[in-house]
């Protein structure tokens, strides 16, 4: 049985084939509408979510399956003090696969050790968010036609942003990737990740504070929200929250074929006028999130297009 806990749990070949399936789904969603008949997905969300939870549910419903779950910690027995291990043992009796979001780093991994069904990490604290990465990779591949030989600008809260951590680890596996890490001093990529994902593999990167100075070098600009819920004090959040606000003026220096990604939700870091720019890819990302999650559910349940075990 396979789980998806860390973005590196899948090989690059497996990711390519998952993205190929996601592309096929995007081209003909109806052809996949019976694949998961009589299968059930459980969504166990101990933290707020709009896109991730609903796109998982939408994905399973599109595959002809069923969904159940909870959307907040206080509507589950976690509020009574139940452990993740006991919860997953129970959910294993009710569902065939589950997606878990938790404020504690490592909780989905812990769950996977006690689970009888595949567990998908739908975001664990400020750690990882591998299914957002699949969404990001699909969007980059569709926009640019490749995942290698790109200069990627990651901008905003690189310290607490789990989507950034997962994307960085994943993209570092492709040839010719170069990173420009744009953040205030306090919100830089954690040292352990710089060492593990970049230094150890000799991946070229620079750290920058000024977005406009590096804009003309970027193939991809990945904007992120300052992660208020991970801050120790509100004062620091208020001081840092508007460090970067992408506007049409700032985009003047950008390449015409650059793509702007954002995992969403957006707070203030991309002005709404940018939404009209053809380089804005963030709502496309939200759409692609359904396709990659459909492909992921199929892969982890070992189901082919016809619904049979492959
Ligand atoms: C992200 C998350 O939850 O980490 N959202 C998402 O899943 N699309 C990003 C964020 O909350 O800023």
């Amino acid at each position: 049985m396979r789980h998806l806990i860390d973005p590196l749990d899948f090989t690059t070949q497996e990711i390519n084939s998952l993205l190929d399936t996601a592309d096929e789904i995007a081209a003909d969603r109806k052809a996949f509408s019976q694949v998961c008949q009589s299968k059930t997905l459980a969504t166990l969300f101990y933290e707020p979510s709009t896109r991730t939870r609903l796109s998982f549910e939408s994905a399973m419903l599109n595959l002809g399956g069923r969904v159940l779950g909870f959307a907040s910690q206080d509507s589950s027995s976690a509020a009574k003090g139940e452990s993740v291990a006991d919860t997953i043992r129970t959910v294993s009796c009710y569902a065939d696969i589950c997606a878990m979001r938790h404020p504690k780093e490592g909780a989905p991994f812990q769950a996977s050790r006690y689970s009888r069904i595949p567990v998908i990490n739908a975001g664990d604290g400020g750690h990882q968010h591998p299914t957002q990465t699949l969404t990001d990779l699909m969007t980059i591949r569709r926009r640019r036609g490749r995942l290698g030989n790109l200069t990627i600008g990651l901008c905003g809260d690189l310290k607490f942003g789990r989507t950034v951590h997962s994307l960085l680890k994943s993209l570092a596996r492709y040839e010719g990737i170069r990173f420009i890490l744009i953040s205030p001093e306090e919100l830089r990529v954690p040292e352990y990740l710089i060492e593990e994902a970049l230094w150890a593999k000799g991946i070229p990167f620079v750290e920058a504070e000024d977005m406009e100075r590096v804009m003309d070098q970027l193939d991809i600009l990945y904007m992120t929200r300052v992660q208020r819920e991970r801050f120790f004090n509100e004062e620091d959040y208020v001081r840092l929250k508007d460090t970067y606000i992408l506007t049409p003026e700032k985009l003047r220096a950008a390449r015409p074929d650059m793509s702007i990604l954002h995992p969403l939700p957006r707070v203030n870091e991309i002005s709404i006028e940018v939404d009209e720019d053809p380089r804005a890819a963030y709502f496309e990302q939200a759409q692609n999130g359904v396709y990659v999650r459909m492909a992921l559910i199929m892969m982890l349940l070992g189901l082919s297009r016809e619904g049979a075990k492959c």
Side-chain angles (χ1 to χ4, degrees), residues 206-241:
V206 290
E207 293 184 301
E209 285 202 33
D210 187 342
M211 171 166 71
E212 283 167 273
R213 278 180 65 178
V214 297
M215 188 67 90
D216 62 345
Q217 301 176 42
L218 305 177
D219 294 306
I220 303 290
L221 173 58
Y222 192 91
M223 296 294 297
T224 60
R225 165 181 78 90
V226 175
Q227 307 278 298
R228 179 181 204 161
E229 65 276 35
R230 315 255 180 252
F231 273 68
F232 294 111
N233 68 69
E234 183 73 5
E235 243 167 70
D236 286 348
Y237 169 72
V238 170
R239 183 167 51 82
L240 293 167
K241 72 182 172 59

Side-chain angles (χ1 to χ4, degrees), residues 48 51-52 101 129 132 162-163 225 227 229 262-265:
R51 267 149 298 270
T52 306
R101 167 169 290 188
H129 193 345
Q132 180 63 46
R162 56 194 173 195
T163 66
R225 165 181 78 90
Q227 307 278 298
E229 65 276 35
H262 190 310
L264 303 178

Side-chain angles (χ1 to χ4, degrees), residues 42 187 193-194:
L187 298 180
L193 257 178
I194 296 269

Side-chain angles (χ1 to χ4, degrees), residues 41-62 66-73 75 98-102 120-123 129 131-132 135 162 263-265 286 289-290 293-294 297:
L41 165 81
T43 50
L44 313 179
F45 277 59
Y46 296 80
E47 253 194 359
S49 170
T50 297
R51 267 149 298 270
T52 306
R53 188 171 63 82
L54 295 184
S55 66
F56 261 115
E57 297 193 357
S58 169
M60 193 50 154
L61 295 172
N62 290 341
R66 296 177 294 236
V67 296
L68 50 80
F70 53 82
S72 74
Q73 176 136 340
S75 65
C98 92
M100 176 185 281
R101 167 169 290 188
H102 204 287
I120 301 166
N121 177 3
H129 193 345
T131 65
Q132 180 63 46
T135 306
R162 56 194 173 195
L264 303 178
V290 177
R293 290 182 174 100
M294 288 172 76
I297 291 168

Side-chain angles (χ1 to χ4, degrees), residues 91-298:
V91 171
S92 295
C93 309
Y94 307 153
D96 302 285
I97 183 165
C98 92
M100 176 185 281
R101 167 169 290 188
H102 204 287
K104 256 201 202 136
E105 285 84 1
F109 170 68
Q110 174 75 352
S112 71
R113 297 175 55 220
Y114 295 91
S115 182
R116 286 188 286 108
I117 58 174
V119 175
I120 301 166
N121 177 3
D124 61 329
H127 189 216
Q128 300 293 333
H129 193 345
T131 65
Q132 180 63 46
T133 295
L134 294 174
T135 306
D136 303 340
L137 295 179
M138 178 175 182
T139 308
I140 295 171
R141 202 177 79 155
R142 282 170 81 93
R143 284 258 169 164
R144 308 303 307 234
R146 61 182 194 274
L147 290 172
N149 298 313
L150 294 168
T151 297
I152 313 279
L154 301 172
C155 178
D157 187 346
L158 310 187
K159 179 179 181 186
F160 296 117
R162 56 194 173 195
T163 66
V164 166
H165 302 163
S166 290
L167 186 60
L168 184 98
K169 274 174 95 168
S170 282
L171 280 173
R173 295 197 289 185
Y174 296 88
E175 291 270 314
I177 288 288
R178 180 175 159 248
F179 290 105
I180 304 190
L181 307 175
I182 312 157
S183 74
E185 167 102 47
E186 293 97 321
L187 298 180
R188 286 193 184 164
V189 173
E191 201 59 37
Y192 83 92
L193 257 178
I194 296 269
E195 274 166 27
E196 236 177 75
L198 303 177
W199 279 124
K201 303 198 170 69
I203 312 292
F205 73 96
V206 290
E207 293 184 301
E209 285 202 33
D210 187 342
M211 171 166 71
E212 283 167 273
R213 278 180 65 178
V214 297
M215 188 67 90
D216 62 345
Q217 301 176 42
L218 305 177
D219 294 306
I220 303 290
L221 173 58
Y222 192 91
M223 296 294 297
T224 60
R225 165 181 78 90
V226 175
Q227 307 278 298
R228 179 181 204 161
E229 65 276 35
R230 315 255 180 252
F231 273 68
F232 294 111
N233 68 69
E234 183 73 5
E235 243 167 70
D236 286 348
Y237 169 72
V238 170
R239 183 167 51 82
L240 293 167
K241 72 182 172 59
D242 291 328
T243 312
Y244 302 105
I245 301 177
L246 187 64
T247 58
E249 295 70 53
K250 290 183 187 153
L251 275 171
R252 275 202 205 114
R255 296 182 186 164
D257 60 351
M258 186 184 83
S259 298
I260 307 159
L261 275 69
H262 190 310
L264 303 178
R266 144 177 68 185
V267 182
N268 210 18
E269 54 284 346
I270 303 183
S271 81
I272 54 170
E273 295 89 73
V274 175
D275 299 357
E276 306 306 319
D277 192 302
R279 291 169 287 194
Y282 27 95
F283 291 111
E284 201 174 297
Q285 259 172 294
Q287 174 67 74
N288 290 339
V290 177
Y291 304 139
V292 289
R293 290 182 174 100
M294 288 172 76
L296 175 65
I297 291 168
M298 288 172 63

